[in-house]
């Protein structure tokens, strides 16, 4: 019966999205108390099962009330009545009440979805409607207005439900990954989320081949490093991150190899971890360029693959005389959205993906991403710094990880190999950087290969 309830909620949302505009939501926010009471009375009269007995307090839907056929029928009847009477504001108030009544049910849904990966949404009719609903995880640094200062939209009024509107996603598909509720338990104890970047190494360790196909110049990438040494290097850095109690560890783009995922996964499953600090809860490995894909694999602290995010936007490599070569990757149109209590929603945007405004807008405006990991292999940071400013009004934090090898290729002044962008309830410095000099001496790579920053992470704040 909950499936039917979710389907009906999705239908109400689609109706309002098609019927209303920004001005409607401004007027909805501005209606008088008399009008608010009138709408609530309509709901109380037609759907008494939504409220506790002899009380104006909403029930906990999902705790048996949401399974009653008569309750669903009364909801359908009210929805039909409101459409005929053009009581659109009453429909929105009904949605607000349903959203509030589903607060604990959404937590139960999160627990049932732990460690699952699926394109499916809570409402089985998501594909037909081109709109899905999923649990909206709390983000501890998101401010109470939840974007309503900048957008007048339906989702401003929903705290527990996240809308996935496929009409605005175009060809993009969204795959949902729900982290266990205790993923960042150590961060909750510390009161801060520790994020770290490692520029990994000084060597480039990949070769580029440029060629022509159907009138277009392309380039591909072939790993040329020592996989055994690189994988041991990754292990050493993870060990150092564990000592520093890092929660999320990010490596750069392009420097991965095809054996890395399996070897690091085995390392994270070693029994010695039981007697010492745990490895980071989330590890974003160096991306691997293979078979026309540039892929970042996310692992959890036990070595399980959370997802493999492919790069979507090809990089244009400058070539002589004055032209460009197109990165020969196949776009798979898949966004992996990682949901987690405390971080809200997290995504990986590989280098050029983050610099592509339309793609970034989808993340911020439609998927309401609150933490972006940006692995990069770039000779400069300025464009990333500029684009990062777009995240501030969305209370979205970001961590950019570049490679020392990329900076070494450039003789200019751009020496930054990593930065953190803090937003929302975070206080202190908005941006902090780490430079190549912090990792490299004149002749050798220094042992400390981590830069750790802290993000605001205190519980019991708004959604």
């Amino acid at each position: 019966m909950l499936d039917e309830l979710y389907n009906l909620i999705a239908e109400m949302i689609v109706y309002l999205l098609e019927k209303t505009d920004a001005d409607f939501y401004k007027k909805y926010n501005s209606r008088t108390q008399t009008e608010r009471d009138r709408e609530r009375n309509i709901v109380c009269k037609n759907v008494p099962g939504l409220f506790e007995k002899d009380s104006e307090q909403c029930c906990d839907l999902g705790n048996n009330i949401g399974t009653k056929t008569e309750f669903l029928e009364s909801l359908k009847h009210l929805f039909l009545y409101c459409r005929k009477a053009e009581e659109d504001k009453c429909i929105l108030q009904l949605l607000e009440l349903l959203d509030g009544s589903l607060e604990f049910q959404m937590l139960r849904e999160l627990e049932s979805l732990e460690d699952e990966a699926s394109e499916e949404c809570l409402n089985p009719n998501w594909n037909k409607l081109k709109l899905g609903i999923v649990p909206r995880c709390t983000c501890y640094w998101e401010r109470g207005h939840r974007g309503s200062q900048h957008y007048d939209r339906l989702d401003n009024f929903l705290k527990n439900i996240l809308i996935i509107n496929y009409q605005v996603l175009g060809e993009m598909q969204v795959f949902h990954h729900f982290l266990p509720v205790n993923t960042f338990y150590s961060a909750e104890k510390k009161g801060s989320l520790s994020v770290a970047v490692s520029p990994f190494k000084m060597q480039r360790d990949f070769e580029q081949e440029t060629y022509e196909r159907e009138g277009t110049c392309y380039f591909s990438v072939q790993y040329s490093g020592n996989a055994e040494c690189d994988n041991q290097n990754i292990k050493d850095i993870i060990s150092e991150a564990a000592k520093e109690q890092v929660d999320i560890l990010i490596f750069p783009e392009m420097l991965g190899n095809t054996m890395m995922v399996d070897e690091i996964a085995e390392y994270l499953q070693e029994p010695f971890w039981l007697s010492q600090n745990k490895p980071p809860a989330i590890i974003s490995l160096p991306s691997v360029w293979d078979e026309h894909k540039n892929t970042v694999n996310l692992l959890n602290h036990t070595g399980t693959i959370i997802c493999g995010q492919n790069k979507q936007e090809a990089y244009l490599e400058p070539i002589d005389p004055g032209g460009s070569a197109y990165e020969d990757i196949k776009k798979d149109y898949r966004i992996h959205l990682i949901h987690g209590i405390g971080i809200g929603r997290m995504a990986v945007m590989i280098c050029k993906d983050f610099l592509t405004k339309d793609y970034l807008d989808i993340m911020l405006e439609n998927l309401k991403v609150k933490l972006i990991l940006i692995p990069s292999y770039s000779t400069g940071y300025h464009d990333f710094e500029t684009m990062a400013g777009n995240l501030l009004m969305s209370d979205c934090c970001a961590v950019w990880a570049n490679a020392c090898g990329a900076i070494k290729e450039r003789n200019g002044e751009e020496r930054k190999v990593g930065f953190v962008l803090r937003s929302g309830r975070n206080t202190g410095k908005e941006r902090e950087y780490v430079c190549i000099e912090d990792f490299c001496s004149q002749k050798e790579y220094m042992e400390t290969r981590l830069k750790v920053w802290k993000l605001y992470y205190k519980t019991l704040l708004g959604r």
Side-chain angles (χ1 to χ4, degrees):
M1 286 292 186
L2 277 172
D3 284 354
E4 292 184 46
L5 175 59
Y6 297 146
N7 278 346
L8 185 56
I9 288 172
E11 289 173 16
M12 293 180 188
I13 292 171
V14 169
Y15 170 81
L16 287 178
L17 290 177
E18 292 176 348
K19 187 90 182 296
T20 61
D21 57 15
D23 193 55
F24 169 83
Y25 298 104
K26 290 178 183 177
K27 290 180 178 178
Y28 179 80
N29 249 338
S30 305
R31 66 203 198 285
T32 64
Q33 188 59 51
T34 300
E35 183 64 12
R36 294 169 191 261
D37 292 341
R38 185 188 72 82
E39 294 162 1
R40 192 177 180 94
N41 287 336
I42 292 175
V43 177
C44 289
K45 179 180 177 181
N46 287 274
V47 195
L50 186 55
F51 304 91
E52 300 283 359
K53 189 175 181 180
D54 301 323
S55 170
E56 291 189 357
Q57 181 70 33
C58 288
C59 293
D60 173 13
L61 292 183
N63 188 12
N64 115 22
I65 185 70
T67 64
K68 293 184 178 178
T69 302
E70 60 190 78
F71 172 75
L72 288 170
E73 289 304 315
S74 66
L75 275 178
K76 292 176 184 177
H77 180 271
L78 178 56
F79 182 35
L80 179 61
Y81 162 77
C82 289
R83 281 182 292 173
K84 289 182 177 179
E86 296 188 343
E87 288 276 7
D88 294 344
K89 292 175 184 175
C90 190
I91 294 174
L92 182 50
Q93 179 157 162
L94 175 59
L95 277 173
E96 280 198 89
L97 292 168
L98 289 169
D99 175 81
S101 298
L102 286 168
E103 178 178 1
F104 296 110
Q105 179 58 26
M106 289 300 103
L107 292 174
R108 290 189 283 266
E109 295 285 3
L110 281 173
E111 291 177 350
S112 69
L113 292 167
E114 284 182 3
D115 293 325
E116 288 194 13
S118 175
E119 195 181 1
E120 300 291 322
C121 299
L122 292 178
N123 54 310
N125 63 357
W126 68 272
N127 208 2
K128 176 183 176 183
L129 295 179
K130 300 303 177 186
L131 183 135
I133 59 174
V134 296
R136 180 170 178 166
C137 290
T138 308
C139 176
Y140 293 153
W141 56 79
E142 184 177 21
R143 291 169 291 175
H145 62 76
R146 302 188 315 278
S148 61
Q149 286 178 306
H150 312 291
Y151 305 107
D152 296 296
R153 308 190 318 192
L154 192 157
D155 53 6
N156 293 344
F157 304 93
L158 304 179
K159 295 183 178 180
N160 304 292
I161 293 171
L162 180 71
I163 298 171
I164 309 295
N165 188 349
Y166 291 92
Q167 297 287 352
V168 298
L169 290 176
E171 296 181 82
M172 300 304 296
Q173 299 171 281
V174 180
F175 286 79
H176 303 280
H177 305 264
F178 295 91
L179 301 176
V181 295
N182 63 347
T183 296
F184 299 111
Y185 176 67
S186 64
E188 291 196 5
K189 289 196 299 181
K190 294 181 294 184
S192 63
L193 185 76
S194 297
V195 295
V197 299
S198 172
F200 192 30
K201 58 181 179 178
M202 287 294 294
Q203 295 78 24
R204 178 184 174 95
D205 280 350
F206 60 85
E207 302 293 337
Q208 288 183 207
E209 179 187 359
T210 304
Y211 44 89
E212 296 181 10
R213 188 173 69 242
E214 298 176 350
T216 300
C217 292
Y218 290 93
F219 76 89
S220 61
V221 173
Q222 180 66 45
Y223 174 77
S224 59
N226 184 317
E228 184 178 351
C229 291
D230 282 351
N231 295 346
Q232 183 59 50
N233 194 13
I234 292 283
K235 295 174 187 178
D236 293 342
I237 295 169
I238 291 173
S239 179
E240 183 66 25
K243 294 176 186 175
E244 296 285 338
Q245 296 186 315
V246 169
D247 299 299
I248 300 176
L249 173 60
I250 307 155
F251 289 96
E253 179 192 19
M254 302 287 274
L255 299 175
N257 60 77
T258 56
M259 295 183 288
M260 184 173 283
V261 172
D262 290 341
E263 287 198 25
I264 301 305
E266 288 180 11
Y267 174 68
L268 293 170
Q269 293 164 11
E270 293 284 352
F272 67 78
W273 289 111
L274 298 174
S275 60
Q276 61 184 54
N277 289 324
K278 287 185 178 181
I282 304 288
I283 300 170
S284 174
L285 291 176
S287 78
V288 178
W289 210 107
D290 188 47
E291 297 182 349
H292 300 283
K293 293 184 293 184
N294 188 353
T295 308
V296 166
N297 286 290
L298 287 190
L299 304 184
N300 68 13
H301 73 281
T302 66
T304 300
I305 298 176
I306 298 170
C307 66
Q309 176 65 62
N310 287 335
K311 188 176 184 179
Q312 302 300 310
E313 301 293 335
Y315 174 67
L316 296 181
E317 176 79 10
I319 57 174
D320 293 329
S324 297
Y326 188 98
E327 185 177 6
D328 198 2
I329 56 174
K330 295 177 181 177
K331 189 172 184 175
D332 69 355
Y333 297 96
R334 292 187 174 189
I335 297 172
H336 293 274
L337 192 61
I338 298 100
H339 304 257
I341 291 178
I343 63 167
R345 289 145 301 283
M346 179 172 70
V348 177
M349 301 188 75
I350 305 171
C351 204
K352 182 64 175 177
D353 288 351
F354 183 73
L355 300 179
T356 303
K357 191 175 185 304
D358 289 346
Y359 191 27
L360 182 59
D361 286 346
I362 286 175
M363 295 293 189
L364 298 179
E365 297 181 22
N366 302 113
L367 302 180
K368 292 191 173 290
V369 169
K370 298 302 168 191
L371 179 60
I372 299 178
L373 311 184
I374 313 164
S376 174
Y377 192 97
S378 173
T379 55
Y381 74 93
H382 178 72
D383 289 333
F384 296 93
E385 180 184 43
T386 301
M387 289 299 288
N390 293 289
L391 278 58
L392 294 174
M393 75 176 190
S394 299
D395 293 346
C396 182
C397 296
V399 189
W400 176 65
N402 202 7
C404 282
I407 300 300
K408 199 175 145 188
E409 295 174 22
R410 185 183 179 95
N411 296 321
E413 297 179 357
E414 297 195 347
R415 312 296 291 172
K416 296 179 175 125
V417 290
F419 69 68
V420 65
L421 174 81
R422 300 183 181 90
S423 65
R425 296 180 189 268
N426 281 284
T427 57
K429 293 182 179 179
E430 178 185 291
R431 287 181 179 85
E432 287 191 48
Y433 301 89
V434 62
C435 297
I436 188 171
E437 289 83 3
D438 296 306
F439 294 96
C440 309
S441 65
Q442 290 184 350
K443 294 185 178 179
E444 60 184 352
Y445 200 46
M446 296 175 69
E447 289 185 2
T448 303
R449 289 163 287 181
L450 280 178
K451 175 60 181 179
V452 183
W453 294 293
K454 296 184 184 301
L455 298 178
Y456 186 100
Y457 203 81
K458 293 182 181 178
T459 60
L460 302 177
L461 293 176
R463 275 200 167 115

